[in-house]
């Protein structure tokens, strides 16, 4: 959503709200009264549309090839996601669907999910128009890419498959291959590596973990994605 708004302009905001409403109906089975769903979808659309308008005004470098661009996207995403999550939860509390005692937990879950999604997917999608030009260079380094992918896959299996959540601090070893990949491929490598980890987590660990455990891992992955994104931006800038 954020990538589309940045590429096509903030005037796509109504489509953002429509997409959010469609997801509530088709994916989640309309879990609240229609008025609440419409209001929540408008909050999502206005929130991220406002972020796109602000970043466009700041003339964001879409390739995130500077510290300023990476920091503006990261900070903007974090603050906007917090506002959107708060408004989203408040809407369902007001509708009587969500207990007020659960609002804080709902905000935390929505926030970490949105921020991870933005930091992981947006850089890749913003760079997608240049993908065809990059393919020849990637093809020359197939062995390196394969070795990086295998290294990351082995760590994911060991950390989330053999002992899922047995020792969360051990998950910090994921920083080593992600930094290696980021130093090789920059911001795009950082985003691709964190997306790879997210997919691996869903495939390997998610079926065996509780919701709270998954959220705990997602906070770790926010740190990982932010570190990789900023490192890639610094490398590109220099």
């Amino acid at each position: 959503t954020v990538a589309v708004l940045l590429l096509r302009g903030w005037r796509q905001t109504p489509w953002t709200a429509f997409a959010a409403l469609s997801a509530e109906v088709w994916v989640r089975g309309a879990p609240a009264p229609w008025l609440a769903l419409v209001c929540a979808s408008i909050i999502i659309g206005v929130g991220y549309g406002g972020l796109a308008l602000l970043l466009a005004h700041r003339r964001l470098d879409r390739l995130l090839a500077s510290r300023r661009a990476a920091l503006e996207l990261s900070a903007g995403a974090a603050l906007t996601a917090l506002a959107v999550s708060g408004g989203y939860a408040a809407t369902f509390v007001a509708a009587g669907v969500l207990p007020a005692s659960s609002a804080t937990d709902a905000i935390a879950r929505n926030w970490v999910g949105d921020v991870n999604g933005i930091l992981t997917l947006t850089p890749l999608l913003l760079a997608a128009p240049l993908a065809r030009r990059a393919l020849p260079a990637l093809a020359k380094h197939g062995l390196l890419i394969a070795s990086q992918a295998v290294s990351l896959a082995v760590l994911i299996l060991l950390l989330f498959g053999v002992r899922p959540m047995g020792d969360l601090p051990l998950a910090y070893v994921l920083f080593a291959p992600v930094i290696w990949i980021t130093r090789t491929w920059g911001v795009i490598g950082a985003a691709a590596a964190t997306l790879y980890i997210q997919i691996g987590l869903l495939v390997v660990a998610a079926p065996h973990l509780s919701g709270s455990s998954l959220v705990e891992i997602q906070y770790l992955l926010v740190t990982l994605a932010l570190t990789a994104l900023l490192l890639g931006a610094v490398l590109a800038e220099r």
Side-chain angles (χ1 to χ4, degrees):
T1 296
V2 173
V4 168
L5 289 168
L6 289 174
L7 289 170
R8 297 297 182 89
W10 63 272
R11 291 181 177 83
Q12 303 298 317
T13 294
W15 289 110
T16 299
F18 177 74
L21 180 61
S22 300
E24 293 286 0
V25 174
W26 295 335
V27 178
R28 302 183 62 197
W34 272 98
L35 180 59
L37 294 178
V38 171
C39 289
S41 301
I42 291 174
I43 288 171
I44 293 172
V46 170
Y48 289 115
L51 174 63
L53 177 61
L54 176 62
L55 293 177
H57 178 72
R58 298 284 299 170
R59 299 185 184 277
L60 179 77
D61 174 10
R62 293 178 181 172
L63 294 182
L64 305 179
S66 69
R67 283 172 291 181
R68 173 191 158 185
L71 284 170
E72 287 182 350
L73 176 65
S74 303
L79 293 174
T80 304
L82 182 60
V84 167
S85 298
Y88 186 86
T91 300
F92 288 115
V93 169
V97 178
L98 179 69
S101 59
S102 301
T104 301
D105 184 55
I107 291 171
R109 288 168 182 258
N110 285 333
W111 180 84
V112 74
D114 281 8
V115 172
N116 258 328
I118 293 169
L119 295 182
T120 301
L121 287 173
T122 306
L124 290 173
L125 294 174
L126 290 178
L130 302 176
R132 186 174 298 177
R133 287 164 50 184
L135 287 177
L138 293 175
K140 295 179 181 179
H141 300 283
L143 184 59
L144 174 60
I145 294 172
S147 64
Q148 291 173 332
V150 169
S151 300
L152 208 47
V154 169
L155 277 179
I156 290 170
L157 287 172
L158 290 175
L159 293 171
F160 300 133
V162 178
R163 292 189 63 197
M165 284 299 293
D167 267 315
L168 183 61
L170 289 178
Y172 282 95
V173 301
L174 288 170
F175 277 77
V178 170
I179 289 173
W180 174 32
I181 293 169
T182 303
R183 284 177 57 85
T184 308
W185 304 107
V187 171
I188 303 306
T194 52
L195 177 61
Y196 189 83
I197 292 172
Q198 287 280 359
I199 294 172
L201 172 65
L202 290 175
V203 172
V204 176
H208 313 293
L209 297 178
S210 66
S212 59
S213 295
L214 280 172
V215 171
E216 191 175 356
I217 295 177
Q218 289 299 326
Y219 276 101
L220 168 70
L221 294 183
V222 163
T223 306
L224 180 64
L226 183 58
T227 301
L229 180 64
L230 293 176
L231 175 62
V234 170
L235 291 171
E237 189 175 58
R238 294 185 177 181

